């Protein structure tokens, strides 16, 4: 199924990107392991869609290798000499200062500056809307790297649904918790509709406070303390599994804290 990157998907990476490269550094083994799992998951998703897209007919293990950091690279190009502009794509994770695909058209880079990593890749412009689109898979799997980056921030956001299963049409209630995990006190923006933004399965999802509360601007969050708000949002009319992503609109060294959770809607 072809998926186009919509405004909601761009919204995710508005909070994740930074244009400020860091100094060269060795990538820790933990980050290499996480990065390799992400690229392997991307590889598997491409394989799963192979039968639906003729341009992927040659895709396989020989298009998977490792870069200088020991992180997997996917590089694929069709070999049909009759095609003037053969289908091609590539993706990997490397250091912020690296350039894995020099000169390739359709390049993209999603940076995670706190861990000095970026997802970089390319895909030639698609001549047909029905051609395979790599970007939704990269964005979906890239959220795992965003979550890893969150562990290096002084503030953590947690999304805690009041229950894991909701009925069709039932209003969804969640608690959003902001915790100061640093060793110092911090001035933070108060939780509310002005500071919290949500996606539900990559689509914008509106909420309102479940309990009336005074509108605030800033508050002091001491080391180890947390603050919480209970919110409610519109339910869903069909059974499905849902991923809630919460963005907290306060920049820390160019990065915005995020939190994720999962629920299920049943009959």
């Amino acid at each position: 199924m072809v998926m186009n990157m919509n405004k909601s998907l761009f919204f995710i990476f508005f909070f994740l990107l930074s244009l400020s490269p860091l100094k060269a550094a060795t990538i820790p083994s933990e980050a290499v392991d996480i990065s390799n799992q992400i690229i392997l998951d991307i590889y598997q998703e491409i394989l799963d869609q192979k039968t639906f897209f003729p341009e992927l007919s040659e895709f396989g293990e020989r298009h998977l290798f490792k870069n200088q950091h020991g992180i997997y690279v996917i590089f694929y190009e069709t070999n049909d000499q009759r095609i003037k502009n053969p289908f091609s794509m590539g993706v990997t994770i490397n250091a912020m200062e690296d350039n894995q695909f020099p000169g390739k058209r359709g390049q993209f880079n999603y940076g995670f500056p706190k861990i000095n990593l970026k997802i970089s890749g390319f895909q030639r412009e698609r001549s047909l809307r029905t051609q395979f689109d790599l970007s939704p898979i990269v964005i979906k799997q890239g959220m795992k790297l965003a979550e890893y980056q969150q562990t290096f921030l002084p503030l953590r956001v947690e999304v805690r649904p009041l229950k894991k299963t909701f009925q069709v049409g039932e209003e969804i209630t969640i608690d959003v918790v902001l915790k100061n995990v640093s060793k110092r006190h911090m001035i933070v923006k108060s939780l509310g509709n002005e500071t919290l933004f949500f996606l539900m399965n990559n689509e914008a999802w509106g909420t309102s406070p479940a309990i009336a509360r005074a509108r605030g601007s800033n508050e002091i969050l001491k080391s180890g303390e947390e603050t919480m708000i209970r919110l409610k949002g519109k339910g869903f009319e069909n059974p499905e599994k849902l991923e809630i992503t919460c963005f907290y609109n306060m920049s820390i060294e160019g990065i915005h804290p995020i939190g994720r959770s999962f629920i299920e809607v049943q009959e």
Side-chain angles (χ1 to χ4, degrees):
M1 181 178 180
V2 178
M3 295 178 62
N4 292 319
M5 203 185 306
N6 57 28
K7 292 182 179 179
S8 294
L9 295 179
F10 276 121
F11 178 78
I12 293 176
F13 283 93
F14 173 82
F15 283 93
L16 303 181
L17 297 181
S18 172
L19 300 179
S20 301
L22 302 181
K23 294 180 180 180
T26 301
I27 298 176
S29 58
E30 180 184 39
V32 171
D33 292 342
I34 293 171
S35 298
N36 274 329
Q37 189 57 59
I38 291 170
I39 299 300
L40 287 175
D41 288 343
I42 292 173
Y43 173 81
Q44 186 59 53
E45 287 210 48
I46 297 172
L47 279 183
D48 292 343
Q49 298 190 36
K50 181 176 177 178
T51 57
F52 302 105
F53 298 95
E55 60 271 23
L56 297 179
S57 61
E58 303 166 27
F59 184 78
E61 289 185 10
R62 64 190 179 93
H63 301 106
L64 189 67
F65 56 95
K66 289 188 175 181
N67 62 22
Q68 70 271 30
H69 302 292
I71 297 173
Y72 283 112
V73 178
I74 296 171
F75 185 91
Y76 174 71
E77 185 173 72
T78 55
N79 292 317
D80 192 338
Q81 301 300 317
R82 298 169 297 175
I83 302 176
K84 182 178 179 181
N85 295 311
F87 178 86
S88 61
M89 64 180 178
V91 64
T92 190
I93 296 172
N94 47 29
M96 291 284 282
E97 64 272 14
D98 291 339
N99 186 5
Q100 184 73 47
F101 305 106
K104 290 296 183 181
R105 294 170 57 186
Q107 288 197 43
F108 56 82
N109 291 283
Y110 301 132
F112 304 84
K114 195 70 175 177
I115 50 178
N116 192 28
L117 293 177
K118 66 178 177 181
I119 301 176
S120 60
F122 76 95
Q123 180 174 347
R124 289 183 65 99
E125 293 82 353
R126 295 177 297 153
S127 58
L128 299 172
R129 291 179 61 86
T130 54
Q131 277 189 337
F132 175 77
D133 186 3
L134 177 64
S135 57
I137 297 176
V138 171
I139 290 174
K140 172 187 171 184
Q141 296 298 338
M143 287 299 295
K144 298 172 185 176
L145 204 58
E147 288 181 317
Y148 175 58
Q149 178 174 246
Q150 296 294 308
T151 63
F152 295 88
L153 297 183
L155 293 176
R156 302 278 173 83
V157 172
E158 294 182 15
V159 179
R160 301 174 182 172
L162 262 61
K163 52 186 179 179
K164 288 298 183 181
T165 303
F166 292 83
Q167 299 301 306
V168 167
E170 181 183 3
E171 198 170 54
I172 296 171
T173 305
I174 61 173
D175 289 337
V176 176
V177 177
L178 179 68
K179 185 172 183 178
N180 179 3
V181 296
S182 74
K183 295 181 180 180
R184 59 187 177 88
H185 301 343
M186 296 186 67
I187 298 176
V188 301
K189 294 182 179 180
S190 297
L191 303 182
N193 290 339
E194 300 80 17
T195 55
L196 297 175
F197 305 92
F198 295 89
L199 296 180
M200 187 76 81
N201 279 9
N202 293 329
E203 296 291 337
W205 183 62
T207 64
S208 59
I211 302 172
R213 57 185 290 174
R215 185 173 179 175
S217 55
N218 294 312
E219 58 184 283
I220 296 176
L221 202 58
K222 295 180 180 179
S223 175
E225 280 190 344
E226 62 183 40
T227 183
M228 186 194 79
I229 186 172
R230 179 161 293 181
L231 301 166
K232 57 184 179 181
K234 185 178 179 181
F236 292 80
E237 298 306 318
N238 298 299
E240 56 185 315
K241 293 182 178 180
L242 297 165
E243 176 186 307
I244 309 171
T245 307
C246 174
F247 302 87
Y248 175 55
N249 189 20
M250 178 174 162
S251 176
I252 302 171
E253 298 179 27
I255 304 167
H256 289 71
I258 62 172
R260 287 203 300 169
S261 189
F262 300 86
I263 61 172
E264 188 170 353
V265 174
Q266 298 180 346
E267 292 281 7

